[in-house]
């Protein structure tokens, strides 16, 4: 869980985020909240990013996710995290996309990327839905696959790529992590090799699924 953060330390963190965000192309916030931090911590991060005009990519769960109400550029929940967030089973693709679009409609995020593990991912943007296939690799430890996915998406966006191309890059990075033992990081050649293998996304019509 990490150490408990005092009020002073929390204030210092927000000050550092504000200073860093002011000169950044993106801010990535991820992980669970440490002891002592209020449940709306990521909303405070989102408020800082919105205030300085820097897009926020957020990957979290539990109370850290349910207390976010606005200001996120890209939200990346797993299907389990999305279910917990909305309090529904979300058994079908249509229900999953509807929940993602509800978060957009409520102003929580401009886009929602639902990671489905071996089943790929779903991307919801205003008025648009896309399905991404996974890269078929032999399952490894999987530790850090979600983090690698988010990192690669951020890299793609800093290169000026559209969001769907950046998501394909993220899927490639997540797949490359499955080749690594334990907590080892993936390699650039593996990511680039898988990137070439990631198919273009499929557009999903409203009501499909």
């Amino acid at each position: 869980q990490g150490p408990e953060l005092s009020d002073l330390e929390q204030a210092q963190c927000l000050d550092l985020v504000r200073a860093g965000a002011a000169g950044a192309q993106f801010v990535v916030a991820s992980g669970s909240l440490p002891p002592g931090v209020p449940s709306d911590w990521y909303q405070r991060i989102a408020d800082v990013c919105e205030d300085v005009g820097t897009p926020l990519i957020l990957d979290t769960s539990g109370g850290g996710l349910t207390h976010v109400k606005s200001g996120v550029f890209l939200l990346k929940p797993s299907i389990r995290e999305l279910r917990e967030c909305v309090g529904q089973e979300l058994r079908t693709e249509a229900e999953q996309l509807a929940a993602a679009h509800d978060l957009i409609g409520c102003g929580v995020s401009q886009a929602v990327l639902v990671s489905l593990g071996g089943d790929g991912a779903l991307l919801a943007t205003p008025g648009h839905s896309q399905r991404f296939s996974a890269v078929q690799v032999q399952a490894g430890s999987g530790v850090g696959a979600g983090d690698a996915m988010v990192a690669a998406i951020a890299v793609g966006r800093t290169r000026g790529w559209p969001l769907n191309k950046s998501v394909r890059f993220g899927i490639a990075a997540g797949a490359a992590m499955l080749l690594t033992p334990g907590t080892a990081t993936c390699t650039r050649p593996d990511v680039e090799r898988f990137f070439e293998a990631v198919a273009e996304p499929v557009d999903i019509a409203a009501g499909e699924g």
Side-chain angles (χ1 to χ4, degrees), residues 118-143:
D119 293 325
L122 298 172
L123 177 63
T125 54
H128 199 198
S129 301
Q130 291 184 310
R131 180 191 304 119
F132 294 77
S133 298
V135 177
Q136 298 305 314
V137 296
Q138 185 173 355
S141 72
V143 174

Side-chain angles (χ1 to χ4, degrees), residues 25-112:
Q25 289 178 270
F26 287 89
V27 169
V28 175
S30 64
S32 57
L33 297 176
V37 171
S39 297
D40 68 345
W41 175 258
Y42 279 129
Q43 182 59 58
R44 300 183 189 189
I45 297 291
D47 291 342
V48 168
C49 293
E50 195 168 34
D51 188 43
V52 300
T54 303
L56 171 65
I57 299 173
L58 178 62
D59 179 13
T60 188
S61 60
L65 176 57
T66 56
H67 285 80
V68 175
K69 304 302 180 184
S70 65
V72 178
F73 166 67
L74 175 65
L75 184 66
K76 193 215 75 66
S78 66
I79 184 60
R80 176 186 60 80
E81 292 163 348
L82 183 62
R83 286 170 177 151
E84 293 174 351
C85 179
V86 302
Q88 301 174 27
E89 287 296 319
L90 307 179
R91 299 181 186 276
T92 67
E93 181 180 87
E95 291 173 343
Q96 295 159 12
L97 284 169
H101 281 287
D102 283 346
L103 292 175
I104 295 172
C106 292
V108 173
S109 182
Q110 296 178 40
V112 177

